[in-house]
Amino acid sequence: RLGKFRTVTRYECASACSLIFLAGTDRVLLGSRAKIGFHQAASIGPKGERHCSSSFDDNGVREMRRYLVSVIPEQADPIMRLIMQTSCDAIGWTSGQPALDSGVATRLESEAVDVFGARIRQKPVPR
């Protein structure tokens, strides 16, 4: 670990954001909309075609695992399995108690509170 950082999300945090979130020593999901999303790595083939890296032997997967071991060594393997469960064309979300149980988050705050406030529907402007 390079330092002791607190990472917090109040909304959706996925893909590269989730990897940054995992670098925190104190990883907080704040509010009812907080969730973390993962997916497999992708690579670009010689003709520009995109491929999901679904094998633990793929270079992108090895690099991702190496990163996880460096920032969250105790949970690297279970989180790597969570990442590999979702195609690179989708996002697999975790939040609340499952995020704590898997080691993705270290703490939940205001879990039942919408920290953004009520969702407001815009009324149509009269013409």
PDB file of all heavy atoms in Angstrom, residues 68-88:
ATOM      1  N   LEU A  68      -4.864  -5.812  -8.031  1.00  0.00           N
ATOM      2  CA  LEU A  68      -5.673  -6.119  -6.847  1.00  0.00           C
ATOM      3  C   LEU A  68      -4.818  -6.612  -5.692  1.00  0.00           C
ATOM      4  O   LEU A  68      -5.022  -6.215  -4.544  1.00  0.00           O
ATOM      5  CB  LEU A  68      -6.747  -7.149  -7.180  1.00  0.00           C
ATOM      6  CG  LEU A  68      -7.866  -6.685  -8.095  1.00  0.00           C
ATOM      7  CD1 LEU A  68      -8.794  -7.848  -8.426  1.00  0.00           C
ATOM      8  CD2 LEU A  68      -8.638  -5.527  -7.499  1.00  0.00           C
ATOM      9  N   VAL A  69      -3.851  -7.462  -5.985  1.00  0.00           N
ATOM     10  CA  VAL A  69      -2.958  -7.963  -4.932  1.00  0.00           C
ATOM     11  C   VAL A  69      -2.176  -6.810  -4.309  1.00  0.00           C
ATOM     12  O   VAL A  69      -1.932  -6.793  -3.104  1.00  0.00           O
ATOM     13  CB  VAL A  69      -2.008  -9.053  -5.485  1.00  0.00           C
ATOM     14  CG1 VAL A  69      -0.876  -9.360  -4.519  1.00  0.00           C
ATOM     15  CG2 VAL A  69      -2.796 -10.320  -5.810  1.00  0.00           C
ATOM     16  N   SER A  70      -1.836  -5.807  -5.108  1.00  0.00           N
ATOM     17  CA  SER A  70      -1.064  -4.686  -4.559  1.00  0.00           C
ATOM     18  C   SER A  70      -1.911  -3.748  -3.702  1.00  0.00           C
ATOM     19  O   SER A  70      -1.403  -3.160  -2.754  1.00  0.00           O
ATOM     20  CB  SER A  70      -0.378  -3.894  -5.680  1.00  0.00           C
ATOM     21  OG  SER A  70      -1.316  -3.120  -6.402  1.00  0.00           O
ATOM     22  N   VAL A  71      -3.218  -3.612  -4.017  1.00  0.00           N
ATOM     23  CA  VAL A  71      -4.035  -2.652  -3.256  1.00  0.00           C
ATOM     24  C   VAL A  71      -4.934  -3.303  -2.208  1.00  0.00           C
ATOM     25  O   VAL A  71      -5.320  -2.648  -1.242  1.00  0.00           O
ATOM     26  CB  VAL A  71      -4.894  -1.743  -4.179  1.00  0.00           C
ATOM     27  CG1 VAL A  71      -4.017  -0.901  -5.080  1.00  0.00           C
ATOM     28  CG2 VAL A  71      -5.919  -2.526  -4.965  1.00  0.00           C
ATOM     29  N   ILE A  72      -5.285  -4.550  -2.382  1.00  0.00           N
ATOM     30  CA  ILE A  72      -6.228  -5.214  -1.469  1.00  0.00           C
ATOM     31  C   ILE A  72      -5.860  -6.696  -1.369  1.00  0.00           C
ATOM     32  O   ILE A  72      -6.620  -7.579  -1.757  1.00  0.00           O
ATOM     33  CB  ILE A  72      -7.668  -4.964  -1.950  1.00  0.00           C
ATOM     34  CG1 ILE A  72      -8.682  -5.403  -0.934  1.00  0.00           C
ATOM     35  CG2 ILE A  72      -7.936  -5.547  -3.293  1.00  0.00           C
ATOM     36  CD1 ILE A  72     -10.091  -4.907  -1.233  1.00  0.00           C
ATOM     37  N   PRO A  73      -4.671  -6.995  -0.865  1.00  0.00           N
ATOM     38  CA  PRO A  73      -4.146  -8.361  -0.919  1.00  0.00           C
ATOM     39  C   PRO A  73      -5.043  -9.422  -0.285  1.00  0.00           C
ATOM     40  O   PRO A  73      -5.164 -10.523  -0.832  1.00  0.00           O
ATOM     41  CB  PRO A  73      -2.799  -8.271  -0.197  1.00  0.00           C
ATOM     42  CG  PRO A  73      -2.780  -6.965   0.490  1.00  0.00           C
ATOM     43  CD  PRO A  73      -3.779  -6.078  -0.173  1.00  0.00           C
ATOM     44  N   GLU A  74      -5.685  -9.111   0.833  1.00  0.00           N
ATOM     45  CA  GLU A  74      -6.497 -10.114   1.531  1.00  0.00           C
ATOM     46  C   GLU A  74      -7.722 -10.527   0.723  1.00  0.00           C
ATOM     47  O   GLU A  74      -8.189 -11.653   0.826  1.00  0.00           O
ATOM     48  CB  GLU A  74      -6.954  -9.593   2.898  1.00  0.00           C
ATOM     49  CG  GLU A  74      -5.837  -9.131   3.814  1.00  0.00           C
ATOM     50  CD  GLU A  74      -5.387  -7.698   3.508  1.00  0.00           C
ATOM     51  OE1 GLU A  74      -6.170  -6.889   2.978  1.00  0.00           O
ATOM     52  OE2 GLU A  74      -4.222  -7.395   3.796  1.00  0.00           O
ATOM     53  N   GLN A  75      -8.275  -9.614  -0.073  1.00  0.00           N
ATOM     54  CA  GLN A  75      -9.498  -9.892  -0.821  1.00  0.00           C
ATOM     55  C   GLN A  75      -9.269 -10.031  -2.325  1.00  0.00           C
ATOM     56  O   GLN A  75     -10.224 -10.148  -3.088  1.00  0.00           O
ATOM     57  CB  GLN A  75     -10.533  -8.788  -0.583  1.00  0.00           C
ATOM     58  CG  GLN A  75     -11.113  -8.768   0.798  1.00  0.00           C
ATOM     59  CD  GLN A  75     -10.278  -7.937   1.774  1.00  0.00           C
ATOM     60  OE1 GLN A  75      -9.398  -7.201   1.385  1.00  0.00           O
ATOM     61  NE2 GLN A  75     -10.550  -8.086   3.055  1.00  0.00           N
ATOM     62  N   ALA A  76      -8.033 -10.018  -2.769  1.00  0.00           N
ATOM     63  CA  ALA A  76      -7.745 -10.013  -4.208  1.00  0.00           C
ATOM     64  C   ALA A  76      -8.385 -11.193  -4.947  1.00  0.00           C
ATOM     65  O   ALA A  76      -9.006 -11.001  -5.996  1.00  0.00           O
ATOM     66  CB  ALA A  76      -6.235  -9.994  -4.453  1.00  0.00           C
ATOM     67  N   ASP A  77      -8.249 -12.393  -4.424  1.00  0.00           N
ATOM     68  CA  ASP A  77      -8.784 -13.560  -5.135  1.00  0.00           C
ATOM     69  C   ASP A  77     -10.312 -13.563  -5.204  1.00  0.00           C
ATOM     70  O   ASP A  77     -10.875 -13.746  -6.286  1.00  0.00           O
ATOM     71  CB  ASP A  77      -8.249 -14.855  -4.532  1.00  0.00           C
ATOM     72  CG  ASP A  77      -6.778 -15.071  -4.869  1.00  0.00           C
ATOM     73  OD1 ASP A  77      -6.305 -14.518  -5.894  1.00  0.00           O
ATOM     74  OD2 ASP A  77      -6.104 -15.786  -4.119  1.00  0.00           O
ATOM     75  N   PRO A  78     -11.030 -13.347  -4.079  1.00  0.00           N
ATOM     76  CA  PRO A  78     -12.494 -13.332  -4.195  1.00  0.00           C
ATOM     77  C   PRO A  78     -13.003 -12.194  -5.081  1.00  0.00           C
ATOM     78  O   PRO A  78     -13.964 -12.374  -5.841  1.00  0.00           O
ATOM     79  CB  PRO A  78     -12.988 -13.162  -2.760  1.00  0.00           C
ATOM     80  CG  PRO A  78     -11.820 -13.231  -1.873  1.00  0.00           C
ATOM     81  CD  PRO A  78     -10.593 -13.277  -2.705  1.00  0.00           C
ATOM     82  N   ILE A  79     -12.368 -11.049  -5.035  1.00  0.00           N
ATOM     83  CA  ILE A  79     -12.811  -9.933  -5.879  1.00  0.00           C
ATOM     84  C   ILE A  79     -12.482 -10.221  -7.340  1.00  0.00           C
ATOM     85  O   ILE A  79     -13.256  -9.896  -8.236  1.00  0.00           O
ATOM     86  CB  ILE A  79     -12.231  -8.597  -5.385  1.00  0.00           C
ATOM     87  CG1 ILE A  79     -12.874  -8.245  -4.039  1.00  0.00           C
ATOM     88  CG2 ILE A  79     -12.466  -7.484  -6.407  1.00  0.00           C
ATOM     89  CD1 ILE A  79     -12.308  -7.037  -3.359  1.00  0.00           C
ATOM     90  N   MET A  80     -11.369 -10.884  -7.590  1.00  0.00           N
ATOM     91  CA  MET A  80     -11.034 -11.263  -8.961  1.00  0.00           C
ATOM     92  C   MET A  80     -12.093 -12.215  -9.510  1.00  0.00           C
ATOM     93  O   MET A  80     -12.512 -12.090 -10.662  1.00  0.00           O
ATOM     94  CB  MET A  80      -9.648 -11.898  -9.006  1.00  0.00           C
ATOM     95  CG  MET A  80      -9.084 -12.026 -10.378  1.00  0.00           C
ATOM     96  SD  MET A  80      -8.717 -10.406 -11.073  1.00  0.00           S
ATOM     97  CE  MET A  80      -9.120 -10.709 -12.765  1.00  0.00           C
ATOM     98  N   ARG A  81     -12.558 -13.132  -8.693  1.00  0.00           N
ATOM     99  CA  ARG A  81     -13.626 -14.040  -9.132  1.00  0.00           C
ATOM    100  C   ARG A  81     -14.904 -13.258  -9.422  1.00  0.00           C
ATOM    101  O   ARG A  81     -15.600 -13.528 -10.402  1.00  0.00           O
ATOM    102  CB  ARG A  81     -13.867 -15.132  -8.089  1.00  0.00           C
ATOM    103  CG  ARG A  81     -12.788 -16.202  -8.083  1.00  0.00           C
ATOM    104  CD  ARG A  81     -13.149 -17.411  -7.244  1.00  0.00           C
ATOM    105  NE  ARG A  81     -13.289 -17.113  -5.829  1.00  0.00           N
ATOM    106  CZ  ARG A  81     -12.273 -17.068  -4.956  1.00  0.00           C
ATOM    107  NH1 ARG A  81     -11.038 -17.319  -5.372  1.00  0.00           N
ATOM    108  NH2 ARG A  81     -12.486 -16.805  -3.693  1.00  0.00           N
ATOM    109  N   LEU A  82     -15.206 -12.260  -8.598  1.00  0.00           N
ATOM    110  CA  LEU A  82     -16.379 -11.408  -8.822  1.00  0.00           C
ATOM    111  C   LEU A  82     -16.261 -10.672 -10.160  1.00  0.00           C
ATOM    112  O   LEU A  82     -17.209 -10.622 -10.940  1.00  0.00           O
ATOM    113  CB  LEU A  82     -16.496 -10.410  -7.662  1.00  0.00           C
ATOM    114  CG  LEU A  82     -17.687  -9.487  -7.621  1.00  0.00           C
ATOM    115  CD1 LEU A  82     -18.978 -10.269  -7.439  1.00  0.00           C
ATOM    116  CD2 LEU A  82     -17.519  -8.483  -6.486  1.00  0.00           C
ATOM    117  N   ILE A  83     -15.100 -10.152 -10.446  1.00  0.00           N
ATOM    118  CA  ILE A  83     -14.848  -9.456 -11.715  1.00  0.00           C
ATOM    119  C   ILE A  83     -15.043 -10.402 -12.894  1.00  0.00           C
ATOM    120  O   ILE A  83     -15.668 -10.051 -13.895  1.00  0.00           O
ATOM    121  CB  ILE A  83     -13.429  -8.848 -11.722  1.00  0.00           C
ATOM    122  CG1 ILE A  83     -13.362  -7.658 -10.765  1.00  0.00           C
ATOM    123  CG2 ILE A  83     -12.995  -8.450 -13.132  1.00  0.00           C
ATOM    124  CD1 ILE A  83     -11.959  -7.152 -10.489  1.00  0.00           C
ATOM    125  N   MET A  84     -14.535 -11.604 -12.779  1.00  0.00           N
ATOM    126  CA  MET A  84     -14.573 -12.549 -13.891  1.00  0.00           C
ATOM    127  C   MET A  84     -15.969 -13.121 -14.136  1.00  0.00           C
ATOM    128  O   MET A  84     -16.211 -13.736 -15.168  1.00  0.00           O
ATOM    129  CB  MET A  84     -13.564 -13.674 -13.664  1.00  0.00           C
ATOM    130  CG  MET A  84     -12.117 -13.192 -13.653  1.00  0.00           C
ATOM    131  SD  MET A  84     -11.624 -12.363 -15.175  1.00  0.00           S
ATOM    132  CE  MET A  84     -11.529 -13.768 -16.268  1.00  0.00           C
ATOM    133  N   GLN A  85     -16.907 -12.896 -13.235  1.00  0.00           N
ATOM    134  CA  GLN A  85     -18.278 -13.395 -13.411  1.00  0.00           C
ATOM    135  C   GLN A  85     -19.075 -12.575 -14.407  1.00  0.00           C
ATOM    136  O   GLN A  85     -20.144 -13.004 -14.834  1.00  0.00           O
ATOM    137  CB  GLN A  85     -19.024 -13.383 -12.070  1.00  0.00           C
ATOM    138  CG  GLN A  85     -18.550 -14.407 -11.095  1.00  0.00           C
ATOM    139  CD  GLN A  85     -19.216 -14.251  -9.730  1.00  0.00           C
ATOM    140  OE1 GLN A  85     -20.055 -13.393  -9.511  1.00  0.00           O
ATOM    141  NE2 GLN A  85     -18.827 -15.100  -8.810  1.00  0.00           N
ATOM    142  N   THR A  86     -18.583 -11.393 -14.764  1.00  0.00           N
ATOM    143  CA  THR A  86     -19.352 -10.499 -15.632  1.00  0.00           C
ATOM    144  C   THR A  86     -18.572 -10.191 -16.901  1.00  0.00           C
ATOM    145  O   THR A  86     -17.419  -9.764 -16.844  1.00  0.00           O
ATOM    146  CB  THR A  86     -19.684  -9.184 -14.896  1.00  0.00           C
ATOM    147  OG1 THR A  86     -20.359  -9.499 -13.685  1.00  0.00           O
ATOM    148  CG2 THR A  86     -20.559  -8.292 -15.733  1.00  0.00           C
ATOM    149  N   SER A  87     -19.206 -10.368 -18.029  1.00  0.00           N
ATOM    150  CA  SER A  87     -18.616 -10.080 -19.338  1.00  0.00           C
ATOM    151  C   SER A  87     -18.132  -8.635 -19.407  1.00  0.00           C
ATOM    152  O   SER A  87     -18.641  -7.760 -18.709  1.00  0.00           O
ATOM    153  CB  SER A  87     -19.685 -10.320 -20.408  1.00  0.00           C
ATOM    154  OG  SER A  87     -19.325  -9.706 -21.620  1.00  0.00           O
ATOM    155  N   CYS A  88     -17.200  -8.383 -20.306  1.00  0.00           N
ATOM    156  CA  CYS A  88     -16.715  -7.010 -20.500  1.00  0.00           C
ATOM    157  C   CYS A  88     -17.767  -6.129 -21.163  1.00  0.00           C
ATOM    158  O   CYS A  88     -17.610  -4.913 -21.232  1.00  0.00           O
ATOM    159  CB  CYS A  88     -15.421  -7.002 -21.310  1.00  0.00           C
ATOM    160  SG  CYS A  88     -15.596  -7.577 -23.009  1.00  0.00           S
TER     161      CYS A  88
END
